[in-house]
Amino acid sequence: MKNVKRIILFFVFIASYFHTNAQVELLEKYDLMPWPKEIKENGQKFMINENFTIAVNKDNINPKIANATTKFLRRLSGRTGVFIDEGFATIASKSKEPSLVINYTREGKLELNEDESYELSVVNDQINLTAITDIGIIRGLETLLQLNDHTTTEYFFHGVDIKDAPRFSWRGLMIDVARHYEPLEVLKNNLDAMAAVKMNVFHWHLTEDQGFRVEVKSRPKFHQLASDGQYYTHEQIKELVAYASNLGIRVVPEFDIPGHATSWLVAYPEMASKDTIYKIERHAGIFDPTLDPTKEVTYEIITDVFSEIAPLFPDKYFHIGGDENEGKHWDENDKIQEFKKKNNIKDNHELQAYFNIKIQKILKEQGKIMMGWDEILQPTLPKDVVIHSWRGKEAMLKAAKQGYKTVLSKGYYIDLLKSIRHHYANEPISKGHGLTEEQLKNILGGEATMWGELVTPVSIDSRIWPRTAAIAEKLWSSIEIDDADNMLKRLESVNYRLEELGISHIRNRNVILRNISNNQELKSLITLTKICEPLKAYQRNKGGVEYKSYSPFTQFVDACNTDAIDAIRFNKSVKKYLKSNVDADKQEIIVLLNKWITNHTDFSKINNNPTLAKLEPLSSKLAELSSILKNGLTKGSINKAEHQKSIVIIDFLSKPIADTELVIIPAIKKLISAIEIRNVKP
Amino acid sequence: MKNVKRIILFFVFIASYFHTNAQVELLEKYDLMPWPKEIKENGQKFMINENFTIAVNKDNINPKIANATTKFLRRLSGRTGVFIDEGFATIASKSKEPSLVINYTREGKLELNEDESYELSVVNDQINLTAITDIGIIRGLETLLQLNDHTTTEYFFHGVDIKDAPRFSWRGLMIDVARHYEPLEVLKNNLDAMAAVKMNVFHWHLTEDQGFRVEVKSRPKFHQLASDGQYYTHEQIKELVAYASNLGIRVVPEFDIPGHATSWLVAYPEMASKDTIYKIERHAGIFDPTLDPTKEVTYEIITDVFSEIAPLFPDKYFHIGGDENEGKHWDENDKIQEFKKKNNIKDNHELQAYFNIKIQKILKEQGKIMMGWDEILQPTLPKDVVIHSWRGKEAMLKAAKQGYKTVLSKGYYIDLLKSIRHHYANEPISKGHGLTEEQLKNILGGEATMWGELVTPVSIDSRIWPRTAAIAEKLWSSIEIDDADNMLKRLESVNYRLEELGISHIRNRNVILRNISNNQELKSLITLTKICEPLKAYQRNKGGVEYKSYSPFTQFVDACNTDAIDAIRFNKSVKKYLKSNVDADKQEIIVLLNKWITNHTDFSKINNNPTLAKLEPLSSKLAELSSILKNGLTKGSINKAEHQKSIVIIDFLSKPIADTELVIIPAIKKLISAIEIRNVKP
């Protein structure tokens, strides 16, 4: 018996070993993202030609499936150039020998925990996509598109069998359209991109100190006075919600109260805690204007707004923000102080809880479940409220333990402009979480948050993508899928394919560079964007006072992005060389140093306007430093003068230049200290 | 007395001589487009800094002026990087020492012949913009943005005094959204671009055999059955019309009847001349389906559509198409033949006239003036109908002579993909027109026409721009402004500045190339796009049978454009060298030949998929031919074998490759014949 047990254990070990090894091999081979739950190769291939057809096992094709299949055909045709003869899916009974057979049981509901699983089988003569819901089909079609590949003569789909289902049921992207308005088209493109990486919640942050972006017919001053004319009409909201629904994406609106609410008070100052004149806020930051939770009119107006707006959003969840209310105006208001005393409310946190509970009732009447940022967590809060955690995972675990459903955004703040590796390493449920199985279920998933202070339609896509794809994988794929290097390999094709959905993250870099160079040769500027990253963690807009909402976001920094590609290459080469001390590795470094040396010559040719002049020190000092380093690497040493010069330059280049950070500096420092300093008398 | 006359004549001559010379100088100096009526330099400069403000001489700022001034400030800030402190225009009484003072007399009406003139004066300490109407102000602000320039240290506006007014009052762009649907955002961007070059009519071609793009609430089958779900709702139409109005642009809708009307019959076959099953047309071309002009139901349905749709468009003009009706289904229908006999209608042209007159009455009831393509011209037509001339200027002159107002599109068919020079040379009123002063007034202006068979949102901007800017100038500026070389010089900056309005004509080239190369190095493909142009004059879609509306428009040809830049350079160099026979000129040619020789090496590195394989012959044979030419130029001769080879290659490269035309071939032929053929025995 003992031996049998041992033998079984041995086989389990072997199986899991091979499974793991096979998995690693597949991860290297296929650019699927998010990675599916189960995937097996079958050694076959489905060749794509003009006879490609899709059949659906239903008596009629519903709008979701019509949309998904039509877009699928356009994208497949668009990327292969194959003139697919039949432009639309047909119902199975009217189709003979379809290429792709779609089978699903029922229409999916756009709600939490709806089934999104699917099974996909690609063999030589047919592709089968099967799911419980049409939403599962939508997810599977995206996987199939990622299996599209080519030989030199033909396009095909890889022969695999996939069983897939998400790990978390809430996989969201929040876009703040209040700090900067985003046209519907930008949002639609992002919804398509979300669907491409299987995300399913669009959290629409609609009001802020800087703007109230929704038409309110019963209270027209909101859009008339507090939006600068940049708001979404009811029709547009319906249009966007319908667009999202067709992609199997829920839409959760957010109306941020009682803080972050200057725009409410611009329209209806009678809701304010302080009697003053309110203007739309042009800067970024945390501001004092706060709704007065002790006035009946506050709730009257909120009821008007929510009862008008809530029906536009079929989703059950409704986000009320609730973050960063410091209650300064509450403290300054005698009547509010009196109210607190009278009602035995001991602090502002309790006063906000009082407010939240009233709001929750208003929303409940609209059939909505309230959701808010983690500040709203408070003992009296009803248990169906969802806590959106942004300040820390501990807050999330605490809420989950107390029985609240939670969504994680801490670690997914893409507006901090941190590396994609940072977000990919952010496992929602850390080890030692201390939750029971039941409590674990309270963790619904997570959301990437695109706060809008520093983005406009020109740059927003590059701030969301590709990093959000890594977060999407984090929330869909198994916990074991966590190798960042492999993710980055897979990301490459997934990333540029987002272009076919209209995402402008790649194309707009040169648009910005053409603007600042006044349409001159871009080469030298492109080189600089490959080693400069935007300042991280809100350093760019020092306390919110440098940039106004209408300041220019068309600068060099807006053409730069996180994970600057040549910097990654350089940092890797330096690390490798410092370990190996091998000449080939040194040459890799020198290639880049040469690039930066000659780059300044190119830059000098175009450096003729005030905007470019700001980059001159960056370009020239980088060239100088690269020259010293190259000499040092070539000769094996640098002299004292060179060393001192390099220290001065490094010091200069360590500081922000034109709101960017030269991210090769740490590697350069290591390189310098590794190069022997020859002590030459002056 | 005689002498005085002579002296006066002499001064007139001198004045006009200097005026002309000064004009030429200014044309070289400023990149204004369309060129203003009068411009004088004053030797001053207005420096731009963060204190820039705008004041408007009114008690309140109307939406048009608010929109124009806010966009002006954003664009100025966006292109200079200057953090302009005040983000909005203020009323003059509340503003001290404004930088830009805006003065206008009254709100402009969006109708024919409205005043669009303005006067602009830029001096050291202030800019004054004065106009009769706010539309004039909008035009003037675009001129001011074009006067924006820089030194190495500062941005400024050139000191000039301008008096400007348009030559024609109808300066239009037609976009066909029926063959391919275009999202609202694409249209909005194009409206902004139109305004940037002072165009004022957006002609919206809304129905075709391939689709009915408008929601009709009273007859919902139109949008439900005949649009593939791609149509504009009432709200979206209102949104676009409001957007255009804010730019001083009128919107003229077109519902093309009785031909080009398959989509009408897909929805309501009871209007058809033939009893058959109608399907949305997927190909391009002229099709037989035609409304039946003898049935009452036809007019009932049209009345329903027009009475519902007309009020959405405040403009007085309403386009009914009327083109290319060949009447085949009329001929095949006995009842229609009977009707003709009974009503003494001798041919189909008269039958269409009968139809048109009934339609004109329906429109008149809606307060609309009918407009149609030149086929509708017919003696019984009421004189207020506008004739839109597409088949020839003679037709236009004939109509004008008969007292009809006319708009010219012949020569402005940008979808033919001809050179910008072709359109710029198309003077609307040719010499010897034979019209009286009064009749000349009937020529309202012209319209660029963007037919939609071969364009999608990805490529449409590159098919409209920059060529439409040249047409805009043709319609705004004086007849004397006609130097194409100078226009091309001015166009350069005007063209790339369209990017700031969201026009994607430049950025989307690489998007398409990334797609076909599967994200490989683009250099070699870019080189090829600079000498290949899309096939002209509808050659690409041979009779409409090759491409369906959902065929891929994401190919190499879609990344190419007219007026290919290296081809222009090469053709110029060859011309110059063949005249001069000077070595320096020869070297210019050799530089390009070398580029094409080495380009094939780069191309071969990425040539790994079926799409790129189609370009292999182009790339390889071009390299081979360039090599022969280079040898020939270097040695002064080529041998017989080389010559024969070059003939074979030229023959091959003269044919379309991947739907493009290698436009250096004529110059290469000239070069070959100029190089002496050394007769070497084999």
Side-chain angles (χ1 to χ4, degrees):
Chain A
M1 187 62 195
K2 230 177 177 179
N3 274 346
V4 174
K5 226 175 178 176
R6 266 189 200 155
I7 289 164
I8 290 172
L9 270 173
F10 176 75
F11 277 107
V12 167
F13 169 75
I14 286 292
S16 87
Y17 175 81
F18 278 106
H19 173 77
T20 312
N21 248 21
Q23 176 91 329
V24 168
E25 222 169 79
L26 294 178
L27 277 159
E28 288 304 319
K29 190 162 172 190
Y30 299 111
D31 290 343
L32 297 172
M33 199 167 174
W35 191 254
K37 206 168 178 180
E38 288 178 40
I39 170 170
K40 273 180 220 154
E41 289 182 305
N42 56 32
Q44 303 196 35
K45 251 184 199 180
F46 185 95
M47 308 313 289
I48 299 159
N49 63 33
E50 66 275 15
N51 300 320
F52 191 91
T53 54
I54 302 180
V56 183
N57 77 325
K58 284 277 178 282
D59 295 335
N60 57 53
I61 295 177
N62 78 18
K64 273 215 278 301
I65 292 293
N67 181 61
T69 49
T70 305
K71 278 186 175 170
F72 174 90
L73 287 167
R74 300 296 172 274
R75 286 162 71 192
L76 184 61
S77 173
R79 56 167 83 167
T80 59
V82 172
F83 280 60
I84 297 174
D85 196 52
E86 178 51 58
F88 303 90
T90 50
I91 57 174
S93 58
K94 288 192 182 169
S95 172
K96 44 179 187 176
E97 297 181 28
S99 315
L100 167 59
V101 180
I102 288 176
N103 255 293
Y104 68 96
T105 313
R106 60 172 176 83
E107 273 199 37
K109 286 182 190 147
L110 278 164
E111 53 184 44
L112 199 63
N113 293 322
E114 178 54 294
D115 194 298
E116 296 176 87
S117 69
Y118 67 91
E119 295 192 18
L120 177 64
S121 152
V122 179
V123 290
N124 284 348
D125 53 355
Q126 198 161 66
I127 302 163
N128 273 280
L129 176 57
T130 309
I132 308 289
T133 69
D134 48 3
I135 300 173
I137 296 296
I138 294 170
R139 305 292 174 253
L141 285 172
E142 294 294 343
T143 304
L144 183 55
L145 276 172
Q146 291 181 351
L147 288 167
N148 174 214
D149 204 345
H150 64 83
T151 65
T152 53
T153 54
E154 278 181 286
Y155 288 97
F156 66 89
F157 291 116
H158 283 286
V160 290
D161 296 288
I162 286 175
K163 286 185 188 179
D164 200 7
R167 180 177 170 210
F168 291 107
S169 72
W170 191 299
R171 306 177 307 280
L173 168 63
M174 186 212 76
I175 297 183
D176 164 13
V177 297
R179 264 68 170 244
H180 278 104
Y181 173 79
E182 300 295 340
L184 228 49
E185 201 64 18
V186 168
L187 302 180
K188 284 183 181 175
N189 291 341
N190 274 285
L191 287 166
D192 281 318
M194 287 173 68
V197 292
K198 303 185 171 55
M199 298 183 98
N200 66 354
V201 180
F202 173 55
H203 169 177
W204 204 356
H205 185 85
L206 285 161
T207 70
E208 263 300 341
D209 298 301
Q210 294 84 356
F212 194 103
R213 303 278 172 232
V214 176
E215 174 192 37
V216 184
K217 291 181 180 176
S218 61
R219 295 280 184 174
K221 283 194 220 163
F222 278 119
H223 58 276
Q224 286 167 358
L225 303 181
S227 77
D228 295 314
Q230 296 189 311
Y231 61 89
Y232 306 98
T233 62
H234 284 205
E235 294 303 318
Q236 287 174 324
I237 290 171
K238 284 183 207 163
E239 186 182 336
L240 198 85
V241 168
Y243 196 92
S245 302
N246 261 344
L247 297 165
I249 294 175
R250 300 163 41 211
V251 182
V252 175
E254 177 181 349
F255 288 76
D256 204 348
I257 46 176
H260 284 285
T262 306
S263 65
W264 292 73
L265 307 178
V266 171
Y268 295 93
E270 56 266 45
M271 305 170 86
S273 300
K274 183 172 177 173
D275 187 16
T276 182
I277 290 165
Y278 291 92
K279 283 185 180 174
I280 295 176
E281 185 56 56
R282 303 296 175 192
H283 285 106
I286 302 173
F287 302 97
D288 300 333
T290 317
L291 307 191
D292 186 337
T294 71
K295 283 186 196 159
E296 212 33 58
V297 66
T298 301
Y299 301 102
E300 275 166 28
I301 294 174
I302 291 174
T303 303
D304 287 348
V305 175
F306 287 1
S307 62
E308 180 178 325
I309 299 304
L312 301 176
F313 293 90
D315 204 71
K316 282 196 188 125
Y317 293 83
F318 197 103
H319 206 300
I320 60 134
D323 55 319
E324 298 181 321
N325 168 32
E326 303 190 338
K328 190 160 166 261
H329 283 187
W330 290 353
D331 294 339
E332 291 170 10
N333 182 322
D334 292 342
K335 280 192 187 157
I336 294 178
Q337 293 312 313
E338 236 169 76
F339 180 90
K340 278 163 75 176
K341 256 182 230 156
K342 201 174 134 195
N343 290 276
N344 209 11
I345 292 172
K346 73 169 193 293
D347 57 21
N348 285 342
H349 189 59
E350 270 191 19
L351 182 56
Q352 189 168 346
Y354 165 87
F355 173 79
N356 289 340
I357 285 164
K358 292 192 71 131
I359 298 302
Q360 192 261 348
K361 274 183 197 140
I362 294 170
L363 286 174
K364 197 153 200 174
E365 264 166 43
Q366 296 299 324
K368 298 293 185 187
I369 299 171
M370 191 168 94
M371 177 165 183
W373 299 103
D374 55 23
E375 285 96 330
I376 70 164
L377 187 60
Q378 205 271 351
T380 54
L381 203 64
K383 283 287 189 270
D384 67 344
V385 172
V386 178
I387 303 299
H388 193 166
S389 170
W390 73 280
R391 292 183 303 182
K393 273 189 224 168
E394 302 67 35
M396 178 185 79
L397 295 175
K398 188 175 146 196
K401 203 162 227 166
Q402 289 178 22
Y404 293 99
K405 301 247 179 298
T406 65
V407 170
L408 180 69
S409 276
K410 168 79 180 180
Y412 300 137
Y413 264 47
I414 47 179
D415 68 318
L416 289 171
L417 292 167
K418 292 186 177 175
S419 165
I420 190 166
R421 287 176 183 271
H422 165 79
H423 301 298
Y424 197 64
N426 187 46
E427 162 55 36
I429 306 176
S430 334
K431 277 177 194 165
H433 50 73
L435 299 187
T436 65
E437 274 304 305
E438 210 49 43
Q439 288 166 343
L440 270 177
K441 284 184 194 152
N442 288 334
I443 299 174
L444 303 179
E447 270 187 21
T449 49
M450 182 68 251
W451 296 105
E453 287 90 342
L454 300 176
V455 293
T456 68
V458 171
S459 59
I460 189 168
D461 288 357
S462 75
R463 289 355 190 185
I464 298 177
W465 306 102
R467 289 176 301 146
T468 295
I471 297 171
E473 172 155 293
K474 216 68 221 160
L475 299 170
W476 175 282
S477 304
S478 315
I479 191 166
E480 292 80 24
I481 303 299
D482 65 352
D483 177 345
D485 288 327
N486 171 268
M487 178 275 289
L488 289 170
K489 190 271 310 176
R490 286 179 289 122
L491 183 68
E492 244 181 77
S493 57
V494 172
N495 179 39
Y496 100 86
R497 282 294 183 204
L498 292 173
E499 286 205 292
E500 81 186 2
L501 305 169
I503 297 295
S504 63
H505 60 323
I506 300 172
R507 67 190 86 173
N508 279 3
R509 182 197 65 191
N510 285 9
V511 172
I512 295 168
L513 297 182
R514 266 191 290 278
N515 178 52
I516 63 172
S517 72
N518 198 19
N519 203 26
Q520 297 181 87
E521 171 60 47
L522 301 184
K523 206 173 146 239
S524 64
L525 297 175
I526 291 173
T527 300
L528 294 176
T529 62
K530 289 181 177 171
I531 44 176
C532 292
E533 294 185 6
L535 291 178
K536 291 169 185 50
Y538 310 143
Q539 284 176 78
R540 178 175 177 185
N541 194 7
K542 304 150 190 86
V545 297
E546 189 174 340
Y547 283 83
K548 291 185 173 179
S549 46
Y550 48 72
S551 295
F553 295 96
T554 48
Q555 303 179 63
F556 175 68
V557 52
D558 300 296
C560 296
N561 210 340
T562 60
D563 303 296
I565 189 163
D566 279 354
I568 290 174
R569 205 178 130 201
F570 182 75
N571 297 344
K572 216 183 251 177
S573 299
V574 168
K575 203 173 165 186
K576 204 170 149 202
Y577 171 62
L578 291 182
K579 231 184 202 171
S580 73
N581 217 11
V582 158
D583 192 62
D585 295 338
K586 186 161 79 179
Q587 291 314 317
E588 270 181 37
I589 299 174
I590 290 178
V591 166
L592 283 166
L593 295 174
N594 276 333
K595 184 174 175 179
W596 301 327
I597 294 167
T598 58
N599 196 59
H600 186 56
T601 315
D602 292 334
F603 176 82
S604 300
K605 284 180 199 153
I606 65 165
N607 180 21
N608 65 6
N609 76 35
T611 310
L612 293 174
K614 289 178 203 156
L615 301 175
E616 201 282 338
L618 167 66
S619 176
S620 65
K621 287 185 195 299
L622 172 66
E624 223 177 322
L625 184 58
S626 300
S627 200
I628 294 172
L629 275 171
K630 185 188 162 185
N631 269 339
L633 283 175
T634 315
K635 296 187 296 182
S637 64
I638 55 178
N639 67 35
K640 201 174 177 180
E642 287 172 327
H643 185 256
Q644 277 173 346
K645 203 173 194 183
S646 75
I647 298 296
V648 174
I649 296 178
I650 285 173
D651 188 52
F652 179 85
L653 292 177
S654 298
K655 288 172 200 136
I657 299 177
D659 288 344
T660 69
E661 175 181 356
L662 185 64
V663 289
I664 51 171
I665 288 296
I668 285 181
K669 280 184 184 167
K670 280 182 206 154
L671 207 53
I672 289 272
S673 27
I675 298 170
E676 173 203 345
I677 304 162
R678 199 190 328 162
N679 215 333
V680 177
K681 293 248 154 94
Chain B
M1 189 60 197
K2 231 178 176 178
N3 274 347
V4 173
K5 225 175 179 177
R6 266 191 200 150
I7 288 163
I8 289 172
L9 270 172
F10 176 76
F11 277 109
V12 168
F13 169 76
I14 288 291
S16 86
Y17 175 83
F18 278 107
H19 172 76
T20 311
N21 248 22
Q23 175 92 329
V24 169
E25 222 170 80
L26 295 177
L27 277 160
E28 287 304 319
K29 191 163 172 187
Y30 299 111
D31 290 343
L32 297 173
M33 199 167 172
W35 191 255
K37 206 169 178 177
E38 289 178 39
I39 171 169
K40 275 181 220 154
E41 288 182 306
N42 57 33
Q44 303 196 35
K45 250 184 201 180
F46 185 96
M47 309 311 290
I48 299 159
N49 64 33
E50 66 276 13
N51 300 321
F52 191 92
T53 53
I54 302 180
V56 182
N57 77 326
K58 285 278 178 281
D59 295 334
N60 58 53
I61 294 177
N62 78 19
K64 273 214 279 301
I65 292 293
N67 181 60
T69 49
T70 304
K71 278 187 176 171
F72 174 91
L73 287 167
R74 300 297 171 274
R75 286 162 71 191
L76 184 62
S77 173
R79 56 168 82 168
T80 59
V82 172
F83 280 59
I84 297 173
D85 195 53
E86 178 52 58
F88 303 90
T90 49
I91 58 174
S93 58
K94 288 193 183 169
S95 172
K96 45 179 185 176
E97 296 181 29
S99 315
L100 166 60
V101 180
I102 288 176
N103 255 293
Y104 68 96
T105 314
R106 60 172 175 83
E107 273 199 36
K109 286 181 190 148
L110 277 163
E111 53 185 43
L112 199 62
N113 293 321
E114 178 54 294
D115 194 299
E116 297 176 85
S117 69
Y118 66 91
E119 295 190 18
L120 177 64
S121 152
V122 180
V123 291
N124 284 348
D125 53 355
Q126 198 162 66
I127 303 164
N128 274 279
L129 176 57
T130 308
I132 308 288
T133 69
D134 48 4
I135 300 173
I137 296 297
I138 293 170
R139 306 290 174 254
L141 285 172
E142 294 294 341
T143 304
L144 182 55
L145 276 170
Q146 292 181 349
L147 288 167
N148 173 216
D149 204 345
H150 63 84
T151 65
T152 54
T153 55
E154 277 182 288
Y155 288 97
F156 65 89
F157 291 115
H158 284 286
V160 290
D161 295 290
I162 286 175
K163 286 185 188 178
D164 200 7
R167 180 177 169 209
F168 292 107
S169 73
W170 191 298
R171 305 178 308 280
L173 168 63
M174 186 214 77
I175 296 182
D176 164 13
V177 298
R179 263 67 168 244
H180 279 105
Y181 173 79
E182 300 295 339
L184 229 48
E185 201 64 18
V186 168
L187 301 181
K188 285 182 180 174
N189 292 342
N190 274 284
L191 287 166
D192 281 318
M194 286 173 69
V197 291
K198 303 186 172 52
M199 297 182 100
N200 67 353
V201 180
F202 173 56
H203 169 178
W204 203 356
H205 185 83
L206 285 161
T207 70
E208 263 300 341
D209 299 301
Q210 293 84 356
F212 194 104
R213 304 280 173 229
V214 176
E215 175 192 37
V216 184
K217 291 182 180 175
S218 61
R219 295 281 184 173
K221 283 194 219 164
F222 278 119
H223 58 276
Q224 287 168 358
L225 303 181
S227 77
D228 294 315
Q230 296 189 310
Y231 62 89
Y232 307 98
T233 63
H234 284 205
E235 294 303 318
Q236 288 174 322
I237 291 171
K238 284 184 208 161
E239 186 182 337
L240 196 85
V241 168
Y243 196 91
S245 302
N246 260 344
L247 297 165
I249 293 176
R250 299 162 43 210
V251 182
V252 175
E254 177 182 350
F255 288 76
D256 205 347
I257 45 176
H260 284 285
T262 307
S263 65
W264 291 72
L265 306 179
V266 170
Y268 296 92
E270 56 267 43
M271 305 171 86
S273 300
K274 184 173 176 174
D275 186 17
T276 181
I277 290 164
Y278 291 92
K279 282 186 179 173
I280 294 176
E281 185 56 56
R282 303 297 174 190
H283 285 104
I286 302 173
F287 301 98
D288 300 331
T290 316
L291 307 191
D292 186 338
T294 71
K295 283 186 196 161
E296 213 33 58
V297 67
T298 301
Y299 301 103
E300 277 167 25
I301 294 174
I302 291 173
T303 303
D304 286 349
V305 175
F306 286 1
S307 62
E308 179 177 325
I309 299 306
L312 301 175
F313 293 91
D315 203 71
K316 282 197 188 121
Y317 292 84
F318 197 102
H319 206 300
I320 60 135
D323 54 320
E324 298 182 321
N325 168 30
E326 302 189 337
K328 193 162 163 256
H329 283 187
W330 290 354
D331 294 338
E332 292 171 8
N333 182 321
D334 291 343
K335 279 190 188 159
I336 293 178
Q337 292 313 311
E338 236 169 75
F339 180 89
K340 278 164 75 177
K341 257 182 230 156
K342 202 175 134 192
N343 290 278
N344 209 12
I345 292 172
K346 74 169 193 292
D347 57 21
N348 286 341
H349 189 59
E350 271 191 17
L351 182 56
Q352 190 169 346
Y354 165 86
F355 173 79
N356 288 339
I357 285 165
K358 292 194 70 133
I359 298 303
Q360 193 262 348
K361 277 184 194 139
I362 294 170
L363 287 174
K364 199 154 198 174
E365 265 168 42
Q366 297 299 325
K368 298 293 185 187
I369 299 171
M370 190 168 94
M371 178 167 184
W373 299 102
D374 53 24
E375 285 97 329
I376 70 164
L377 185 61
Q378 204 272 350
T380 55
L381 203 66
K383 284 289 190 266
D384 67 344
V385 172
V386 178
I387 304 299
H388 192 167
S389 171
W390 72 280
R391 292 183 303 180
K393 273 189 225 169
E394 302 69 34
M396 178 185 77
L397 296 175
K398 188 176 146 195
K401 202 162 228 167
Q402 290 179 19
Y404 291 101
K405 302 246 181 299
T406 65
V407 170
L408 180 68
S409 276
K410 168 78 182 181
Y412 300 137
Y413 263 48
I414 48 179
D415 67 318
L416 290 171
L417 292 167
K418 293 185 176 175
S419 165
I420 191 167
R421 287 177 183 269
H422 165 80
H423 300 298
Y424 198 63
N426 188 47
E427 163 55 35
I429 306 176
S430 335
K431 277 178 192 164
H433 49 72
L435 300 186
T436 65
E437 274 303 306
E438 210 49 43
Q439 288 165 347
L440 270 176
K441 283 184 193 153
N442 287 333
I443 299 175
L444 304 178
E447 269 188 20
T449 49
M450 183 68 249
W451 297 105
E453 287 90 342
L454 301 177
V455 292
T456 68
V458 172
S459 59
I460 188 168
D461 288 357
S462 75
R463 285 2 188 183
I464 299 176
W465 306 102
R467 289 177 301 147
T468 295
I471 297 171
E473 172 154 294
K474 217 66 221 162
L475 298 169
W476 176 282
S477 303
S478 314
I479 190 165
E480 293 80 24
I481 304 299
D482 65 352
D483 178 344
D485 289 327
N486 170 269
M487 178 275 288
L488 289 170
K489 189 272 311 176
R490 287 180 287 125
L491 182 68
E492 245 181 76
S493 57
V494 172
N495 180 39
Y496 100 87
R497 282 294 183 205
L498 293 173
E499 286 205 294
E500 83 186 0
L501 305 169
I503 297 294
S504 62
H505 60 323
I506 300 171
R507 69 191 84 172
N508 278 4
R509 182 197 63 192
N510 285 10
V511 172
I512 295 169
L513 297 182
R514 268 192 288 278
N515 178 52
I516 64 172
S517 72
N518 200 18
N519 204 27
Q520 298 181 85
E521 172 60 47
L522 301 185
K523 205 173 148 238
S524 64
L525 296 176
I526 292 173
T527 300
L528 294 177
T529 63
K530 289 181 176 171
I531 43 174
C532 292
E533 295 185 5
L535 290 178
K536 291 169 184 51
Y538 310 144
Q539 285 176 76
R540 177 175 178 186
N541 194 7
K542 304 151 189 88
V545 298
E546 190 174 338
Y547 283 84
K548 292 185 173 180
S549 46
Y550 48 72
S551 296
F553 296 95
T554 49
Q555 303 179 62
F556 175 68
V557 52
D558 300 297
C560 296
N561 210 339
T562 60
D563 304 296
I565 189 164
D566 279 354
I568 290 173
R569 205 177 130 202
F570 181 75
N571 298 343
K572 218 184 248 175
S573 299
V574 168
K575 203 173 164 185
K576 203 169 150 203
Y577 170 62
L578 292 182
K579 232 186 202 169
S580 75
N581 216 11
V582 158
D583 191 63
D585 295 338
K586 187 162 80 182
Q587 292 313 317
E588 269 182 37
I589 298 175
I590 290 177
V591 166
L592 283 166
L593 294 174
N594 275 333
K595 184 173 175 181
W596 300 327
I597 294 167
T598 58
N599 196 60
H600 186 56
T601 315
D602 293 334
F603 176 82
S604 300
K605 284 180 199 152
I606 65 166
N607 179 21
N608 65 7
N609 75 35
T611 311
L612 293 173
K614 289 178 202 157
L615 301 175
E616 201 281 340
L618 166 67
S619 176
S620 65
K621 286 183 195 300
L622 171 67
E624 222 177 322
L625 184 60
S626 300
S627 198
I628 294 172
L629 276 172
K630 184 188 163 186
N631 268 340
L633 284 175
T634 314
K635 296 185 297 181
S637 64
I638 55 176
N639 65 35
K640 201 174 176 181
E642 286 172 326
H643 186 255
Q644 278 173 344
K645 204 175 193 180
S646 74
I647 297 295
V648 174
I649 296 178
I650 286 175
D651 188 52
F652 179 86
L653 291 176
S654 298
K655 290 172 202 137
I657 298 176
D659 289 343
T660 68
E661 176 182 356
L662 185 64
V663 288
I664 51 171
I665 287 296
I668 286 182
K669 281 184 184 170
K670 280 181 205 155
L671 207 53
I672 289 272
S673 26
I675 298 170
E676 175 205 342
I677 304 162
R678 198 190 329 160
N679 215 330
V680 176
K681 293 250 157 92

